[in-house]
Amino acid sequence: MKNSLFYCLCLILMLFLAGCSNNLTGDVTLEVEVTPIEKIEVYHFHSDRQCSTCKTIGENLDETIERYFLNEVNSGKITYGHINVQDSENREITNRYGASGTSLWIGIYDENGFRAENDQGIWYKLNDKEEFIDYLKNLIEKRLSGEMN
């Protein structure tokens, strides 16, 4: 009786594992939210006095745009720049983004209107210029393609 129960449990376990292995060998697809994009804005927000980190973010943004996105800037698909949050002339854009200090924001215009995203990933790439530029290039390309994840 004990042997029958043991074999029965082993058979159930093998069938269960065989079912699991079928799931592991199949294609895995991830759902990615894609929305048609009208345009994006990429802004480096900073204060009156910029430290070396603030300046690096601005320089790397400029280089990324100049290397990879001049056509999109010229066509109006991308707007980018450097915004001093302490300058009263910039109050409207600073408030729209919610920026209060050094940061890199991407504004996305699509069929749902406008939304702003404060990118935190750049902070982990500051010690390697090429890694920073590659990261930002990939992020901008994702947003341009409508991928929001």
Side-chain angles (χ1 to χ4, degrees):
M1 179 79 172
K2 286 184 181 182
N3 284 343
S4 302
L5 183 61
F6 175 75
Y7 290 122
C8 187
L9 287 174
C10 287
L11 179 62
I12 291 171
L13 181 61
M14 287 181 2
L15 290 172
F16 174 75
L17 292 175
C20 290
S21 68
N22 285 341
N23 289 337
L24 295 175
T25 59
D27 291 334
V28 176
T29 57
L30 298 174
E31 300 257 343
V32 176
E33 177 187 348
V34 177
T35 306
I37 300 300
E38 295 170 20
K39 73 174 189 169
I40 67 170
E41 299 171 333
V42 184
Y43 289 123
H44 162 230
F45 288 93
H46 61 83
S47 302
D48 286 335
R49 301 182 124 198
Q50 293 190 62
C51 66
S52 62
T53 298
C54 300
K55 291 176 183 175
T56 298
I57 291 170
E59 291 165 0
N60 289 349
L61 170 60
D62 287 341
E63 191 159 339
T64 303
I65 295 296
E66 289 169 13
R67 271 194 211 177
Y68 300 108
F69 299 106
L70 284 181
N71 289 336
E72 290 83 355
V73 169
N74 292 332
S75 73
K77 189 82 170 178
I78 293 178
T79 302
Y80 87 103
H82 307 276
I83 309 292
N84 183 337
V85 297
Q86 292 178 310
D87 186 339
S88 61
E89 291 181 13
N90 297 327
R91 187 166 292 134
E92 186 275 326
I93 193 166
T94 300
N95 288 341
R96 182 163 33 111
Y97 277 87
S100 59
T102 301
S103 51
L104 184 81
W105 288 76
I106 298 180
I108 300 148
Y109 294 85
D110 61 18
E111 61 192 20
N112 300 316
F114 171 80
R115 70 176 163 269
E117 149 183 51
N118 181 0
D119 181 66
Q120 300 295 311
I122 59 162
W123 297 102
Y124 302 101
K125 312 293 183 193
L126 285 169
N127 292 329
D128 185 328
K129 178 181 178 177
E130 292 306 316
E131 190 177 344
F132 182 111
I133 289 171
D134 189 52
Y135 168 82
L136 186 55
K137 173 188 173 276
N138 290 331
L139 180 62
I140 291 171
E141 286 175 341
K142 282 182 178 180
R143 297 308 177 257
L144 283 172
S145 73
E147 185 179 328
M148 298 300 131
N149 298 334

